[in-house]
Amino acid sequence: MAIPAALVVVPVGVLFILSGLIVNLIQAVLLVLLRPLSKSLYRRTNKVIVELLWLELIWLIDWWASIKIDLYTDAATFQLMGKEHALVICNHRSDIDWLVGWVLAQRSSCLGSALAIIKRSAKFLPIIGWSMWFSDYVFLERSWAKDKETLKFGFKQLEDFPMPFWLALFVEGTRFTQAKLLLAQDYATSKGLPIPRNVLIPRTKGFVSAVYHMRSFVPVIYDCTVAIPKNQPPPTMLRMFRGQPSVVNLQIRRHLMQELPETIDGIAQWCKDIFVTKDAMLEKYFTTDAFSDLEYQDIGRPKKSLIVVISWSCLLLLGIIKLFQWFSFLASWEVIAFSVTFLVIVTIVMQILIHSSESKRSTPPKVFQVDSIKEKLLC
């Protein structure tokens, strides 16, 4: 039986926001005092600190909602995950694809060095967006004239990253919806391209830039394909808060960066071909229920996130008790007013975070922008 989201969002929100503010404050202090002295030490320290926050979301997946991630990849790739720099590309199928990536990174001991190329507005999200900004995420404005230099600078900053990192890029540029699929199909028809049925047409400029600037120090590309079983709704943040379980199928193929073409057009075509292959694989899965020909790998369910959440809960509960003891000199109505105000703020912040993850809010197509959106789907 599903739990009403409101009964979970508020207590989890209190935990997440208070612990997040502590983590953000420590990150800010480290940025000012430690990074100017040693960028390498700052990054190593930040990895440990930020995982104390991000593991709370891993706990939601693993222990609260019991979302199961079935991973398919070859044994050699599974052993190398977390031990090498990698550019990670993936189709964008659900609202929590990024969290699925974090779960996999946590299992590979590189959660705190799992980075992504995401839209600029994300860095203004309370707590989570700020933690990403402190952690060298690359933020784009979705204007190639501006993003070209932003990407170049971001890739340059990663050259001396002191530990294995993953840089995730959702090449489709937006989450999959039926409305966006129809636009992609119309565009493909007009241009004589393969007509997609389960993916969108990849926007290759960012991918080409990543390969061009990072192939000298990033040895591999992890080609990820995500699929949700037909007999269940796609997982969302709200379903996760309600404790509703889901299954996510994930396949990873490892490609050596040196095997990619040298030319810009060749790199772009390689990416398009990968998505044609993904589309065929997903079509087969939805038709025959056979997902992957690679080996199933058990990623387990470590207790680390559970321990972190319990530790934060005890620490913050003790702090709240002490705070109310210090407020004992105030009138009871003042304490009540403060508590209610704080809970309202928590509710608003959590609503912002939840709504920002919803696919229906991701660059929705508008009738008067159809031609423009079609062009953007391929660029």
Side-chain angles (χ1 to χ4, degrees), residues 90-95 97-98 170 172-176 275:
C90 188
N91 61 316
H92 206 349
R93 195 75 193 187
S94 78
D95 292 358
D97 289 340
W98 57 283
F170 289 105
E172 293 160 301
T174 185
R175 276 160 287 191
F176 181 94
F275 270 78

Side-chain angles (χ1 to χ4, degrees), residues 141-359:
E141 297 189 30
R142 293 184 173 179
S143 167
W144 183 243
K146 298 177 182 178
D147 293 339
K148 182 178 179 180
E149 292 304 315
T150 300
L151 286 170
K152 183 178 179 180
F153 177 78
F155 299 146
K156 182 71 175 177
Q157 291 296 302
L158 296 178
E159 279 189 36
D160 59 352
F161 210 85
M163 56 207 147
F165 71 81
W166 293 355
L167 181 64
L169 173 61
F170 289 105
V171 191
E172 293 160 301
T174 185
R175 276 160 287 191
F176 181 94
T177 65
Q178 286 300 317
K180 294 170 190 173
L181 177 61
L182 291 175
L183 287 173
Q185 290 174 334
D186 287 346
Y187 183 87
T189 300
S190 68
K191 298 295 183 180
L193 300 172
I195 298 176
R197 300 186 65 178
N198 307 284
V199 297
L200 304 180
I201 299 173
R203 303 167 64 173
T204 58
K205 285 184 179 178
F207 176 77
V208 170
S209 180
V211 172
Y212 181 81
H213 289 102
M214 296 199 304
R215 69 190 314 161
S216 62
F217 62 94
V218 174
V220 297
I221 295 174
Y222 291 164
D223 167 27
C224 302
T225 304
V226 172
I228 312 299
K230 291 186 299 182
N231 60 354
Q232 69 172 47
T236 65
M237 292 294 286
L238 272 179
R239 283 180 56 84
M240 195 166 67
F241 277 114
R242 291 181 181 129
Q244 295 175 304
S246 301
V247 174
V248 177
N249 293 307
L250 175 62
Q251 174 187 274
I252 300 180
R253 292 190 184 274
R254 181 177 179 268
H255 303 276
L256 294 177
M257 190 74 81
Q258 66 186 22
E259 295 176 351
L260 268 68
E262 295 289 337
T263 66
I264 290 176
D265 289 343
I267 297 170
Q269 188 60 51
W270 185 91
C271 181
K272 295 172 188 175
D273 291 343
I274 284 289
F275 270 78
V276 171
T277 302
K278 281 184 194 298
D279 194 29
M281 174 190 167
L282 291 170
E283 184 65 22
K284 178 182 177 182
Y285 170 61
F286 294 134
T287 303
T288 67
D289 207 33
F291 178 64
S292 176
D293 58 355
L294 298 178
E295 303 169 53
Y296 171 77
Q297 305 291 343
D298 185 4
I299 63 173
R301 187 172 65 162
K303 295 183 174 65
K304 187 175 182 179
S305 63
L306 183 61
I307 293 171
V308 165
V309 167
I310 293 173
S311 300
W312 272 122
S313 300
C314 294
L315 179 64
L316 293 175
L317 182 60
L318 179 61
I320 291 172
I321 291 173
K322 290 291 185 182
L323 183 65
F324 275 100
Q325 289 176 346
W326 292 338
F327 282 176
S328 60
F329 64 90
L330 296 175
S332 59
W333 70 267
E334 293 174 314
V335 175
I336 293 173
F338 172 81
S339 302
V340 170
T341 301
F342 175 70
L343 292 177
V344 169
I345 293 173
V346 166
T347 303
I348 292 172
V349 170
M350 293 304 292
Q351 287 295 321
I352 291 172
L353 296 178
I354 291 171
H355 288 170
S356 70
S357 73
E358 294 175 347
S359 57

Side-chain angles (χ1 to χ4, degrees), residues 362-376:
S362 62
T363 56
K366 299 178 181 178
V367 174
F368 59 85
Q369 290 181 328
V370 167
D371 292 336
S372 173
I373 293 175
K374 288 179 183 177
E375 290 296 329
K376 288 181 179 179

